[in-house]
Amino acid sequence: MEQESVLIRRCIEAACRSKESVEKWRRQRRTLERLPSHLSQALLRNLLRRRLLFPSLLEVFKHSAEEIDLSGENSVDAEWMAYLGAFGYLRTLNLADCHRINNSAIWSLVGMTSLKELDLSRCMKVSDAGVRHIISISTLDKLWISETGVTENGVGLLSSLKDLSVLDLGGLPVTDTALNSLQALTKLQYLDLWGSKISNKGALVLQSFPKLSFLNLAWTNVTSFPNLSSLECLNMSNCSIDSILEDGGDESPFLKLVFSGSTFTSEAEAFLHIKMSSLSYLDVSKSSLNRFGFLADMKMLEHLDLSSSTFGDDSVEMIVCIGAGLKNLNLSRTKVSSVGIGILAGHVPKLEILSLSQTSVDDVALSYIGLMPSLKVVELSNTNIEGFILQPGIESHKDSTLTALQNLNYLESLNLEHTQVRDPDLHPLSSCKELSHLSLRCASLTDATLHHLSSLPKLTTLQVRDAVLTTSGLDAFCPPRTLRLLDLMGCWLLTEDAISLFLKKHPQVEIRHEVIENISAEQQIFSSSPSSSQQFSKISRWNKKQVKLPMPEFLVDQRLKYSREELLALQFSPSSLKYPHNIG
């Protein structure tokens, strides 16, 4: 919801509580017809979310709703459209992924005088006949018909929509001839042609669109791109590129370039004719580039994606040259090591997102990452991080390398999946007060992990997958009040009874685990029943009375006491998993 007061939000929630409550206010039709647009849309969203919206109920909103988003709603069909066609003030209609929408359903929109934005993406039953209905809506400003059944002939019909500024034809068989027929759309600013049949000859037609600022030619046969002085964003992912802007003229003031998965026939000329000084976003992930000297001239770059490329430590100096303004850096699946991260440290003061997944970085890199003060998101999954460094000459003493992350005052998200981090190494994370998302996946983790993380004040999402968590460990876990999602997939010792008990004690938390995949969503929605708020209130008071005890010394790796066969047997014997009073 937008900026409604708490009172208004509660009124809307009450109105959407059940079918009975909907029927009560439905009778007050005149009052609802005068409902302000933003409140009408908020009510509609809540009805949709609770599966309480049905076709005839739409009539109540026909004088107030201006924006309706029904994307992904499989029940939407011609009956729904018959009501929507009567909406006198509807400006935006999103029907993306509504697979029952067909040409007959679209007919209901014929002649609408207020509709400006229509999204029919992936409505496969909409074809050229549907386009004939669409072109009757002369007020359309934005149209999305990607991955529909529209053919080359249907695309040609769109030339009558002279006011279009946004047109998405992604995944359609658009040919050079069809594109040529659209030259009348001189107001176009956004054009998506991914997967089309456009060639280099057709690309020249793009010069007929004087206001074009965004263009997507991904997965096409275009190899040579002409100069378009108005273009700011260009996507040529998965293309074989010979040249860009080679015909001279004024350089395009590019802000965003995406060449993911592209092959460059001449790396030396790849960026030769591009104005580097204005570029803020560059994606060359999975591309064929082997040399990265061009990066040194991109002084305004904020987002750089080099993932799955040949980029290595020897090229890190190029990033150092432009690091002052960099905010997002993706080096996942590259040849970068901890040495490269050390070179980078101290040169990226504004970096907020760093991705190093599936690289060879180890615990040494963490000390360098701790010197990047603005980091909010750190991705370290599938790396060589173990969580500790042995002090020379003192084999028994280990220092947790995660202590370095305590310097990151803005850290919100951390991914350590598929690393060798163990329970004791996670303790420093309890000092990361802004941490809201944490992902762990390791067979070495036990109940102690949950204990270490229970004090994080802003944690909303916690993933502890494939760990050896016991039923008693889950029962003893007191989650932060902010926690909303607990992902325990692969924790095979947990039973359905243990998880159900946890859900009863903490109804605000959604749990993901194999044994409860069949539990209905209603059982995990905090506000699903009238008594849930009262129940939560009681539990909250109960939790306040609990005294937080120090971590017991016997919270150790429980597997040490059992063979795998014994652990499997224990899975179905929750009572035997209680902590022993004496550890032998």
Side-chain angles (χ1 to χ4, degrees), residues 146-429:
S146 64
E147 300 182 81
T148 58
V150 177
T151 69
E152 174 187 2
N153 295 329
V155 171
L157 296 174
L158 298 174
S159 59
S160 63
L161 295 174
K162 299 291 197 301
D163 291 329
L164 280 182
S165 65
V166 172
L167 180 58
D168 186 351
L169 303 173
L172 301 186
V174 183
T175 61
D176 294 347
T177 302
L179 184 60
N180 192 58
S181 68
L182 298 179
Q183 291 186 71
L185 306 181
T186 56
K187 295 182 181 180
L188 270 185
Q189 299 176 30
Y190 178 110
L191 180 59
D192 199 330
L193 295 168
W194 71 264
S196 66
K197 298 180 178 180
I198 302 296
S199 68
N200 288 342
K201 181 180 178 181
L204 295 174
V205 177
L206 296 169
Q207 295 175 315
S208 302
F209 304 115
K211 296 183 178 181
L212 197 62
S213 61
F214 176 96
L215 178 63
N216 187 355
L217 292 174
W219 295 99
T220 65
N221 294 320
V222 176
T223 62
S224 181
F225 188 75
N227 187 15
L228 301 179
S229 59
S230 61
L231 203 61
E232 295 180 351
C233 302
L234 173 64
N235 187 341
M236 291 187 69
S237 297
N238 299 287
C239 294
S240 294
I241 301 173
D242 293 333
S243 60
I244 299 174
L245 313 181
E246 67 170 357
D247 58 346
D250 295 332
E251 295 177 321
S252 296
F254 281 122
L255 299 177
K256 181 177 181 178
L257 288 175
V258 181
F259 298 133
S260 178
S262 296
T263 301
F264 295 89
T265 55
S266 175
E267 291 190 15
E269 298 182 4
F271 296 90
L272 188 62
H273 304 289
I274 296 176
K275 187 177 180 180
M276 305 288 196
S277 59
S278 59
L279 198 63
S280 63
Y281 185 109
L282 177 64
D283 182 352
V284 289
S285 61
K286 305 176 185 176
S287 70
S288 65
L289 290 173
N290 289 308
R291 294 190 293 273
F292 301 90
F294 60 88
L295 292 174
D297 297 321
M298 300 181 177
K299 305 295 185 183
M300 300 299 291
L301 210 58
E302 295 183 356
H303 180 111
L304 177 59
D305 191 341
L306 296 165
S307 60
S308 300
S309 70
T310 60
F311 189 88
D313 294 341
D314 55 342
S315 300
V316 173
E317 285 291 349
M318 298 301 102
I319 299 181
V320 170
C321 295
I322 60 172
L326 205 59
K327 294 183 178 180
N328 189 328
L329 177 60
N330 192 342
L331 297 175
S332 298
R333 298 177 297 282
T334 63
K335 298 179 179 180
V336 169
S337 69
S338 295
V339 174
I341 304 303
I343 298 172
L344 196 61
H347 299 283
V348 284
K350 296 182 180 180
L351 192 65
E352 297 179 356
I353 302 175
L354 177 61
S355 300
L356 295 170
S357 299
Q358 298 185 48
T359 62
S360 63
V361 298
D362 55 20
D363 293 271
V364 174
L366 290 175
S367 60
Y368 299 130
I369 292 174
L371 299 176
M372 302 176 185
S374 299
L375 279 178
K376 295 181 178 179
V377 178
V378 179
E379 292 281 340
L380 294 169
S381 62
N382 293 278
T383 57
N384 294 327
I385 289 173
E386 296 181 344
F388 65 88
I389 294 179
L390 286 174
Q391 294 295 331
I394 312 177
E395 292 188 9
S396 62
H397 182 67
K398 300 176 182 180
D399 287 335
S400 174
T401 52
L402 296 180
T403 301
L405 301 182
Q406 293 177 336
N407 298 326
L408 304 179
N409 296 326
Y410 304 103
L411 186 63
E412 298 175 358
S413 178
L414 177 63
N415 188 342
L416 290 170
E417 290 190 14
H418 295 294
T419 61
Q420 297 304 310
V421 175
R422 301 193 175 209
D423 299 323
D425 309 316
L426 293 171
H427 179 66
L429 295 183

Side-chain angles (χ1 to χ4, degrees), residues 42 83 199 234 335 351 378 399 404 432 454 485 556 563 567 582:
Y83 285 99
S199 68
L234 173 64
K335 298 179 179 180
L351 192 65
V378 179
D399 287 335
C432 298
S454 62
L485 175 61
V556 297
S563 67
L567 284 171
N582 298 299

Side-chain angles (χ1 to χ4, degrees), residues 96-99 119-125 145-148:
D97 299 297
C98 293
H99 302 303
D119 192 342
L120 294 169
S121 301
R122 295 169 296 283
C123 293
M124 296 297 296
K125 295 180 181 179
I145 54 173
S146 64
E147 300 182 81
T148 58

Side-chain angles (χ1 to χ4, degrees), residues 19-66:
K19 291 182 179 179
E20 292 73 21
S21 59
V22 170
E23 189 57 34
K24 284 181 181 179
W25 57 257
R26 185 186 180 192
R27 298 167 188 159
Q28 303 172 11
R29 184 169 173 177
R30 292 183 180 179
T31 303
L32 288 167
E33 288 177 353
R34 293 194 293 270
L35 197 66
S37 175
H38 70 286
L39 296 182
S40 175
Q41 285 152 207
L43 183 56
L44 268 170
R45 282 196 297 272
N46 273 270
L47 289 169
L48 266 175
R49 181 169 59 86
R50 295 175 180 267
R51 297 284 182 249
L52 293 173
L53 187 63
F54 47 90
S56 60
L57 185 58
L58 287 170
E59 190 174 11
V60 173
F61 300 94
K62 70 178 182 180
H63 297 297
S64 56
E66 297 181 6

